[in-house]
Amino acid sequence: MPNHNIIDEVQINNLLQTCNKTDNQIIDDILQRALELNGIDLGDVAYLLNIEDYPNLEKLFDTANKIKEEIYGKRLVLFAPLYISNYCSNNCMYCGFRVENKELSRRTLTIDEIKDETRYILSQGHKRTLMLMGEHHKNCSLGYFIEAIEAVYSVKDSKGSSIRRINLEIAPLTDEEFKKISLVPIGTYTVFQETYHRETYKTMHPSGNKSDYDWRISTMDRALENGLNDVGIGALFGLYDYRFEVLSLISHAQHLDRKFNIGPHTISIPRIRPATNAPASQNIPYQVSDRDFRKLVAVLRCTVPYTGMILSTRESIEMRTSLFNLGISQISAGSRTNPGGYKQAFAKMEDESQFAMNDCRSSGEVIQDVISQGYVPSFCTGCYRIGRVGEDFMDLAKPGLIKLHCLPNALLTLKEYLIDYADDETVKLGDTLISTEIENIPQEHTRNKTIQYLQRISQGERDLYF
Ligand code: SAM
Ligand code: SF4
């Protein structure tokens, strides 16, 4: 697939140059349109990305906050990553797993080790995991990966809980491979383009399968043509001008929406972190400042109001906290980025990790903090399990109907967490939050049913959802 169908570099550069006036009236009109929750067009996005002055930035943040509140309310979905192999034949200049990092201890987890890691993730209260690995056809094949998925689902902890949803972030697959993996019960399949800027892409990916820009950017087309129906995209911020990357992410989302009537379920916005023997992570070509990072999150929230936005532990506690208000809807917690890392604790992380984390708190600490700030940690996996994915999900999400399910499901899964995994302090804070948030369920019928479900959970039932 020729790249120009998806990313039009000339158009994006033109927009960035022409839509660069800080005209209060123009910005006010765009933000007013954004509040209608139908998204805004690429020119509008360029204007917002070019905001430099404090008063307009504040207006942008305020608008993003209103949109976040309107669509997502106070819920925040939680997940934990599960790295199963750090072998990789690619040479991404920013990544600790790159083939030229000869100092990295490489390993692919055995099925038993994967089950051990799953037990640890479950013991932290998680129900949703994101499975990742490098790209190495000999040491981590697709067949092995499918076995690994089955192994994760097979584990039950002492509370009778198991992982209810596995999302994937693995190298782009072929048509045949997508057909195979579409037969396995997975959630969202995510691949980051890293940078949408072709020239930069070339220098950052000098060898290996990943050096082919067109192969990577056409991944989601192949996925949706071959049986998958739930995909996520992302860019690695710091490789090129963040404004170019945001306009490209939106162009990519619009392309998928036009062609398949399924936009991306999620957009991820990782910023580069230090990694061993990865030159572009030590000397970041286009470092994104904290202020610009907040701006880009707010712009994305205004532009694709119904698309989930994921933030990882690459960001600091302070940054994560400040972005909940501006549009983040999913976060990872208590993460390890080395295979086997949950069992080993922190001892060997330095040697085998993909990159250094910033928020190193345990899941329990993150969850208690999230609750203290008035957000509802959600372990919900309802949509995927009822089959509310792909077009069906979009049909509900676009008119704003999805929130009718999300808040009740968030409260039900939080209640399970409080009973099964939380310490006394978190239980106190969590139960108070549940009582307050029940009142925010708009429909009386659903509110009453949620109260009944909460009672049934207190009496020992699990996995009740709408
Ligand atoms: N290996 C597969 C691939 O590259 O598509 C799977 C994903 S890889 C394990 C996860 C993601 O980590 C990459 O897509 C990249 O964006 C990100 N990453 C790599 N090095 C990083 C670094 N130094 N800091 C932050 N994120 C990094
Ligand atoms: Fe391998 Fe992915 Fe790291 Fe690139 S980003 S070196 S493909 S693990």
Side-chain angles (χ1 to χ4, degrees):
M1 145 133 357
N3 160 54
H4 61 255
N5 280 348
I6 303 179
I7 305 298
D8 185 340
E9 284 199 10
V10 175
Q11 185 203 17
I12 290 177
N13 286 329
N14 277 339
L15 287 174
L16 284 173
Q17 269 169 18
T18 51
C19 306
N20 70 348
K21 284 192 294 289
T22 305
D23 178 322
N24 291 344
Q25 192 57 53
I26 291 177
I27 301 293
D28 287 349
D29 288 349
I30 295 171
L31 295 177
Q32 202 51 48
R33 274 201 299 287
L35 283 172
E36 290 164 18
L37 308 181
N38 296 317
I40 50 177
D41 65 29
L42 279 186
D44 295 337
V45 178
Y47 270 112
L48 296 184
L49 287 167
N50 278 325
I51 293 177
E52 290 297 339
D53 65 299
Y54 184 73
N56 277 315
L57 214 47
E58 281 300 303
K59 282 191 273 181
L60 167 66
F61 290 162
D62 188 47
T63 307
N65 180 228
K66 285 189 180 128
I67 294 172
K68 159 90 202 257
E69 280 283 320
E70 172 65 22
I71 294 176
Y72 299 88
K74 287 288 180 199
R75 96 200 146 85
L76 205 50
V77 169
L78 266 88
F79 70 95
L82 171 52
Y83 280 74
I84 61 169
S85 175
N86 60 5
Y87 278 97
C88 193
S89 48
N90 289 317
N91 200 12
C92 312
M93 301 302 281
Y94 42 82
C95 179
F97 291 175
R98 64 198 281 261
V99 67
E100 280 184 22
N101 181 8
K102 305 289 183 210
E103 287 169 46
L104 186 78
S105 325
R106 308 260 173 188
R107 61 191 299 217
T108 296
L109 298 184
T110 62
I111 293 299
D112 280 344
E113 286 172 327
I114 290 169
K115 289 182 182 171
D116 284 346
E117 291 291 276
T118 307
R119 275 183 209 102
Y120 184 90
I121 291 173
L122 283 169
S123 75
Q124 302 294 296
H126 289 288
K127 300 285 185 279
R128 181 189 281 240
T129 187
L130 170 67
M131 278 174 71
L132 307 98
M133 63 181 188
E135 180 170 14
H136 196 285
H137 294 290
K138 188 160 150 265
N139 288 324
C140 39
S141 66
L142 186 68
Y144 158 76
F145 192 74
I146 290 174
E147 253 187 86
I149 292 174
E150 286 159 0
V152 170
Y153 280 131
S154 75
V155 175
K156 255 195 170 43
D157 71 4
S158 59
K159 314 280 178 194
S161 281
S162 48
I163 293 292
R164 296 174 183 164
R165 172 178 174 133
I166 300 178
N167 294 332
L168 313 185
E169 196 179 321
I170 53 168
L173 304 177
T174 62
D175 289 354
E176 285 317 306
E177 289 171 329
F178 274 126
K179 282 186 186 127
K180 259 189 216 157
I181 207 139
S182 72
L183 302 175
V184 181
I186 52 163
T188 312
Y189 169 74
T190 296
V191 162
F192 304 159
Q193 183 59 26
E194 318 297 8
T195 173
Y196 284 90
H197 187 249
R198 188 178 277 271
E199 245 346 271
T200 307
Y201 189 92
K202 217 187 314 171
T203 34
M204 288 297 151
H205 307 99
S207 61
N209 286 346
K210 195 162 165 181
S211 58
D212 185 344
Y213 180 104
D214 291 314
W215 174 249
R216 193 152 180 104
I217 203 163
S218 52
T219 304
M220 295 314 166
D221 292 69
R222 283 198 303 286
L224 295 170
E225 277 158 3
N226 287 288
L228 269 65
N229 54 13
D230 193 345
V231 298
I233 60 175
L236 181 60
F237 285 92
L239 298 176
Y240 189 62
D241 183 342
Y242 73 91
R243 300 170 311 152
F244 183 94
E245 304 293 14
V246 170
L247 283 165
S248 300
L249 280 166
I250 302 302
S251 304
H252 196 175
Q254 288 175 343
H255 160 82
L256 296 174
D257 205 10
R258 263 197 313 270
K259 187 165 166 188
F260 300 99
N261 209 17
I262 303 176
H265 191 153
T266 53
I267 292 183
S268 300
I269 46 162
R271 270 196 298 186
I272 299 179
R273 293 283 301 147
T276 318
N277 292 326
S281 79
Q282 312 291 344
N283 203 353
I284 298 173
Y286 282 79
Q287 181 76 268
V288 182
S289 70
D290 286 353
R291 192 196 74 141
D292 288 342
F293 195 56
R294 288 195 185 92
K295 177 167 72 173
L296 77 86
V297 169
V299 171
L300 281 168
R301 186 38 71 235
C302 292
T303 312
V304 281
Y306 296 106
T307 306
M309 227 191 304
I310 302 182
L311 194 69
S312 75
T313 51
R314 292 172 180 90
E315 296 300 331
S316 66
I317 300 173
E318 296 71 30
M319 180 52 81
R320 275 156 63 94
T321 306
S322 80
L323 292 179
F324 296 165
N325 271 333
L326 297 182
I328 294 301
S329 58
Q330 284 192 35
I331 56 165
S332 51
S335 308
R336 302 286 184 276
T337 65
N338 54 323
Y342 290 108
K343 201 170 173 197
Q344 287 165 355
F346 282 91
K348 290 187 75 184
M349 261 176 66
E350 289 285 301
D351 303 339
E352 295 176 4
S353 296
Q354 190 187 20
F355 50 79
M357 285 184 309
N358 216 331
D359 181 352
C360 299
R361 293 172 299 171
S362 68
S363 288
E365 289 170 310
V366 173
I367 291 163
Q368 194 186 95
D369 189 31
V370 163
I371 296 175
S372 313
Q373 292 169 47
Y375 289 95
V376 183
S378 173
F379 302 89
C380 174
T381 53
C383 280
Y384 151 72
R385 291 162 75 223
I386 282 178
R388 233 169 11 224
V389 293
E391 256 186 278
D392 291 344
F393 175 80
M394 292 300 158
D395 287 348
L396 274 174
K398 283 181 184 160
L401 296 176
I402 199 74
K403 68 177 173 196
L404 299 179
H405 304 280
C406 294
L407 179 58
N409 284 348
L411 297 178
L412 296 174
T413 55
L414 174 58
K415 185 68 184 171
E416 287 186 350
Y417 173 81
L418 296 177
I419 296 172
D420 289 341
Y421 305 100
D423 60 28
D424 292 349
E425 179 63 22
T426 309
V427 172
K428 235 189 283 161
L429 291 166
D431 278 335
T432 309
L433 184 66
I434 291 176
S435 317
T436 317
E437 285 294 319
I438 280 181
E439 300 306 321
N440 291 329
I441 297 175
Q443 291 172 325
E444 195 184 341
H445 166 75
T446 316
R447 197 163 53 243
N448 289 338
K449 205 161 170 198
T450 306
I451 293 169
Q452 284 167 18
Y453 277 5
L454 285 168
Q455 283 161 353
R456 284 168 57 184
I457 289 171
S458 296
Q459 286 155 9
E461 274 190 73
R462 292 289 174 273
D463 207 10
L464 302 172
Y465 54 90
F466 290 87

